[in-house]
Amino acid sequence: QDIRHEKFDGFIITGAPIEMLDYEAVSYWPRMREILDWTRTHVHSCFYICWGAMAALWHFHHIQKYTLPTKAFGVYRHKNLEPTSPYLTGFSDDFQFPVSRNAEIQREDILSVPDLRLLVESDFTGPCLVSEPDRRALYMFNHIEYDSLSLKEEYERDCKKNRKTRPPHGYFPGDDIQARPLNRWRANAHLLFGNWINQVYQSVPFKIEDIGV
């Protein structure tokens, strides 16, 4: 409530471990919808992450999420589909990102919306990064913000809950859960966030009050 009348250059909406729930079953869904609508008039560029990205695509484009038969969990190879995208400046054709989710957005649904562009995907875990150029929005379904030990801590948390979960794919050296994980995505994470910030400040109106006009 304190900032609802202010305007912002950039805004990040992150995820929550609730992708197994229908959106309408989430207690704060009505408030979430208000915030999403507010970003259209008060924010120049948005970066939606994991459940936040799925929720935004459902709200704005009615793209549904699909529950996975088993959790997508680990570090997976991804493909750069749009090397000329300003958000992927400096990216190789092939790189690795952490994945941890129980649901997915399907590529056919993304491609059916003319306003959306699929930028990054994996042969193993599907779509990863989508842009909406006219709205200067990015939708990231995976977890480039994770630090080196995030997947390890998540795995140990799940094991303590007696969940039948496998160790994260491609994460522990030699698949040895006692080995210290290697961070194979840090550089690309910094690069993507840096590219997004660069695009924000190249395009944001000089007068902040002109955002959303």
Side-chain angles (χ1 to χ4, degrees):
Q1 295 291 339
D2 293 339
I3 66 169
R4 68 182 305 160
H5 299 298
E6 297 183 33
K7 294 192 174 184
F8 298 87
D9 298 346
F11 199 77
I12 296 175
I13 296 181
T14 59
I18 52 174
E19 67 266 50
M20 301 288 281
L21 295 175
D22 291 338
Y23 296 113
E24 290 74 14
V26 176
S27 60
Y28 52 81
W29 181 242
R31 182 61 174 153
M32 180 70 174
R33 293 183 63 188
E34 290 180 14
I35 293 171
L36 290 170
D37 286 336
W38 172 85
T39 65
R40 291 302 208 203
T41 55
H42 288 73
V43 177
H44 181 66
S45 178
C46 276
F47 201 143
Y48 307 102
I49 298 175
C50 199
W51 182 84
M54 297 180 188
L57 285 177
W58 172 252
H59 178 69
F60 293 128
H61 301 289
H62 214 65
I63 293 179
Q64 63 180 321
K65 58 182 172 65
Y66 299 85
T67 301
L68 294 169
T70 57
K71 184 179 182 179
F73 188 45
V75 181
Y76 290 88
R77 303 205 73 86
H78 287 73
K79 297 182 294 186
N80 182 346
L81 303 181
E82 293 279 353
T84 60
S85 168
Y87 297 113
L88 297 179
T89 298
F91 271 79
S92 302
D93 294 334
D94 178 276
F95 41 86
Q96 300 186 63
F97 277 156
V99 181
S100 179
R101 49 183 164 79
N102 289 290
E104 68 175 4
I105 301 294
Q106 296 185 354
R107 80 184 320 266
E108 293 78 11
D109 293 338
I110 295 169
L111 297 178
S112 70
V113 180
D115 293 340
L116 301 178
R117 294 176 64 184
L118 180 58
L119 303 183
V120 175
E121 72 174 343
S122 168
D123 289 337
F124 307 98
T125 58
C128 168
L129 181 66
V130 172
S131 72
E132 187 175 0
D134 289 347
R135 294 288 185 178
R136 298 167 299 280
L138 278 182
Y139 305 86
M140 163 60 72
F141 308 121
N142 299 328
H143 285 285
I144 60 167
E145 81 283 3
Y146 272 11
D147 65 25
S148 301
L149 300 181
S150 296
L151 288 173
K152 179 179 185 293
E153 293 166 355
E154 190 170 328
Y155 172 65
E156 292 173 347
R157 180 199 66 195
D158 288 352
C159 288
K160 287 180 181 178
K161 293 181 179 179
N162 297 317
R163 295 182 179 177
K164 294 181 179 179
T165 185
R166 56 173 175 75
H169 168 86
Y171 178 59
F172 292 107
D175 292 328
D176 178 3
I177 63 173
Q178 301 303 319
R180 183 174 179 82
L182 297 177
N183 189 312
R184 299 181 177 90
W185 62 91
R186 184 185 297 113
N188 285 324
H190 283 271
L191 187 57
L192 182 57
F193 279 111
N195 286 343
W196 174 61
I197 292 171
N198 183 46
Q199 288 305 301
V200 170
Y201 284 102
Q202 283 196 38
S203 59
V204 69
F206 179 76
K207 296 180 179 179
I208 197 168
E209 59 267 22
D210 290 339
I211 290 173
V213 176

